[in-house]
Structure formats: C-alpha cells, structure tokens
Amino acid sequence: MWFAVNAKPGCEREVCGFLRKALASARAAECVVRASAGAADGAAECAVRAGAIASSGADAADAAADVAEERDFQVFVPLAEVRDGAAEPLVPGCVLLCAPSARDARGVLRRARVPEAMLATNATTLVELSAGEADVLLAFSGEGRVAAFTEATALSGGGFRAASGALVGRERAVSRKSSRKKRAWLPVTLGGRTTEACLGLRITRKGAPADA
C-alpha cells in the first residue's frame, strides 16, 4: 500500500530522513528480538545493528511487533529534474511511503517523531493513495529514479511537442507552463485531494501547427 506523508514544502528530504531512521531502528530491533530468541541466521548482523536501537531509544519489542520485513517498506521523495541535472520534489510537500498496511504506516510515522514544524498544516499528515494515484506518481519517479527534464518544440496555438523527457506523450495533461522558469505543472491527486506535480520543461523553437 502506498501513502503520502504531507511535509511542509522545502522540508521533504528532512522528513524522509526521519522516516528512514525510524525504519532502520525498527529493522535493527526486529533483528535483536530474533537473535535473543535463538535464531541462528543473521545473528552476527543483529549484534552489529543493536547499537542503532540504543541511539534512537526505540523499544525493541514494540518495533519488532509493529514493523514487517525490510522488503515490505519503501520511503523516498519523488523527484523531477528541473535544470542542469538539479532535482526538486515532483509534488511539493510529498514524501511517498510504502507499507504493508495503514497500521504499519502509522507505526513508522509515530516512531519517526517528525517535528511538527516540518509537516504540512493544511492537510492530513498521512494519506492513503489509491492504486491509480500511486501509479501516476511512480510512472514519473521511483526510488532512485528522477523524472527526466523535458525538451520540447513549440507548436502554434501555444502547445508543445515533447521530444524527450518525462512529458513525452503527456503534453495534454499539462495545465500550465512557464518558459521563463522552465517548468510545467499538471494536476495529480493525493488521497482524493487535487494538487500539482512540477516538472522541468524547455521549449526551444517553433514547430508544426498544434493540430499536426
């Protein structure tokens, strides 16, 4: 299941860092619980990870009970290339969290102890995404994958045709654009609430008519 954690714009990476630290602590806690129960496999690795619990103050039994295996979780900020290789959040304020259930997602957020000043004040902190909403965001940017900057040709009538980048085939979805800022915006929904994704766009020259 995919969830959006609504951060204050500009604080996305910091919020993501808190969530990742919470996951790391929970994984280490689970490892220690398995080792203390006599599990042979991975016992040495568990001993190495134990220090993470002491530094975070996490309760091993609670963390192990609430959090599933590492493969079931992901947390990252969807990114879009906007200029010269630089990347910015695809949806301002959005951090994506994948968890087996809403209970698991709430547990991660609770243990992360994200400062309130870093969270959005005009939206619910944790929002479950529909499969369609998640698919739209993941089509642009996944963990370790950035939405590519779009190079396009101008069309008469104000339109454009993308030659490369994330907006190829998605030109009609763009609701507004700025040649000066080299940005394009298109509507997306997070838990039923409409917001905007922002991607890099450079329109370089005049081209064919818009209906060509």
Side-chain angles (χ1 to χ4, degrees):
M1 299 176 68
W2 286 96
F3 302 84
V5 178
N6 287 308
K8 183 177 292 185
C11 295
E12 299 90 350
R13 290 176 174 87
E14 289 87 346
V15 171
C16 186
F18 275 95
L19 294 169
R20 285 179 170 170
K21 183 177 179 180
L23 284 176
S25 296
R27 290 163 188 158
E30 183 181 25
C31 221
V32 169
V33 169
R34 288 203 310 269
S36 64
D41 57 318
E45 181 185 1
C46 292
V48 173
R49 289 186 177 184
I53 301 167
S55 62
S56 67
D59 180 270
D62 177 66
D66 285 352
V67 179
E69 295 293 329
E70 178 175 353
R71 64 180 178 273
D72 295 324
F73 291 86
Q74 292 184 61
V75 58
F76 62 94
V77 180
L79 298 173
E81 183 184 0
V82 291
R83 64 184 184 281
D84 301 325
E88 294 179 357
L90 175 67
V91 180
C94 177
V95 179
L96 285 186
L97 170 64
C98 180
S101 68
R103 177 176 177 272
D104 289 309
R106 289 193 299 269
V108 172
L109 186 60
R110 182 179 69 251
R111 281 185 297 276
R113 299 178 182 177
V114 180
E116 289 188 11
M118 293 185 180
L119 297 173
T121 57
N122 62 343
T124 304
T125 301
L126 184 69
V127 177
E128 182 178 340
L129 303 182
S130 69
E133 290 173 335
D135 287 346
V136 168
L137 296 179
L138 294 172
F140 284 114
S141 175
E143 188 166 15
R145 180 168 54 84
V146 177
F149 190 89
T150 296
E151 298 285 357
T153 298
L155 303 177
S156 61
F160 69 92
R161 179 181 294 120
S164 64
L167 290 174
V168 171
R170 298 186 176 99
E171 294 91 341
R172 292 184 181 276
V174 171
S175 57
R176 60 192 180 98
K177 60 185 184 297
S178 170
S179 297
R180 181 177 62 84
K181 294 182 178 180
K182 296 183 175 61
R183 301 286 198 280
W185 293 266
L186 62 160
V188 296
T189 58
L190 302 177
R193 182 176 67 92
T194 300
T195 184
E196 287 184 315
C198 179
L199 298 103
L201 169 67
R202 176 164 48 215
I203 301 175
T204 55
R205 59 185 178 81
K206 297 293 183 181
D211 56 357

